[in-house]
Amino acid sequence: MRQAQNSRTTSESTVSVSVNLDGTGTSNISTSVPFFDHMLTALSKHSMIDLDITATGDTHIDVHHTVEDTSIVLGQTLREALGDKVGIRRYGFAAVPLDEALAQCVVDVSGRPYFVHEGEPEGQQYHLIGGHFTGSMTSHSLESIAFNGGLTVHLDLVRGRDPHHIVEAEFKAFARALREAVETDPRSNSVPSTKGVL
């Protein structure tokens, strides 16, 4: 069973995450940041990874701590659920449109954290989406997942105008690429690396 559960408590937030990599995209998300809940729900649905995430934090100051800490724990839990990575496909690619926006993402379950995010229009990082979530939190969230999950992620916005559409296309592209990368490969019963370790 490729499942894991983790929690983290700091002076800024309390986070609990459970993951089932072989799920159906069922989720129960409550982070106290509504737009982030929307994105994590989309991540679960389109990756087919079951997610149960509860987080509270000092959102009266800023959503930054809660989004960051939730993403850290999610990445750690994904990494734990992957275990020794025997038999996974390892690589995933997706291109996802949302009206005028188009995002592309490549995921490598490499064990070597790296994150590249390019193509957003100038000013996207400053947009306040849903009244709480600033555009810059997209990069910060996905980078935190990648670094704590041991993932190499290249995310490119090909085009886009509406800030909401841009972020949603990016999260969905990441989700679809992640789904492909963590799927089991029926032709393989080994670690997909010439090193024998990921």
Side-chain angles (χ1 to χ4, degrees):
M1 299 296 289
R2 299 192 303 161
Q3 300 180 17
Q5 182 173 351
N6 279 304
S7 59
R8 182 175 190 254
T9 299
T10 72
S11 62
E12 297 169 340
S13 69
T14 299
V15 179
S16 176
V17 174
S18 66
V19 162
N20 177 3
L21 296 180
D22 301 307
T24 59
T26 300
S27 63
N28 181 20
I29 312 289
S30 177
T31 68
S32 69
V33 183
F35 185 74
F36 190 43
D37 288 356
H38 181 43
M39 292 303 95
L40 292 176
T41 300
L43 173 58
S44 174
K45 175 62 73 175
H46 294 284
S47 68
M48 296 291 282
I49 297 172
D50 290 351
L51 293 178
D52 195 328
I53 299 175
T54 303
T56 57
D58 55 1
T59 54
H60 60 287
I61 296 173
D62 196 317
V63 304
H64 186 108
H65 299 144
T66 301
V67 171
E68 177 182 54
D69 291 349
T70 301
S71 302
I72 288 169
V73 179
L74 176 54
Q76 292 169 341
T77 311
L78 286 169
R79 188 170 196 157
E80 186 176 326
L82 280 162
D84 58 13
K85 302 168 189 163
V86 168
I88 65 168
R89 294 187 185 277
R90 177 177 170 177
Y91 299 102
F93 169 79
V96 172
L98 181 59
D99 295 350
E100 89 297 341
L102 175 64
Q104 294 184 164
C105 187
V106 180
V107 170
D108 176 11
V109 185
S110 62
R112 295 186 309 278
Y114 208 88
F115 182 73
V116 177
H117 183 199
E118 296 183 347
E120 288 188 346
E122 183 57 38
Q124 170 70 15
Q125 67 270 35
Y126 304 119
H127 276 286
L128 191 62
I129 305 166
H132 303 87
F133 189 94
T134 52
S136 64
M137 294 312 300
T138 306
S139 272
H140 195 47
S141 172
L142 294 175
E143 182 178 53
S144 296
I145 293 170
F147 270 69
N148 287 276
L151 309 173
T152 297
V153 176
H154 287 250
L155 176 62
D156 293 287
L157 182 74
V158 179
R159 64 184 63 90
R161 181 181 64 253
D162 181 89
H164 184 137
H165 292 171
I166 287 169
V167 178
E168 190 163 343
E170 289 173 334
F171 264 89
K172 287 178 176 177
F174 172 67
R176 293 290 297 189
L178 183 64
R179 171 182 175 176
E180 186 175 308
V182 304
E183 278 182 339
T184 54
D185 185 344
R187 299 176 60 193
S188 174
N189 61 359
S190 62
V191 175
S193 170
T194 54
K195 299 183 182 72
V197 174
L198 284 173

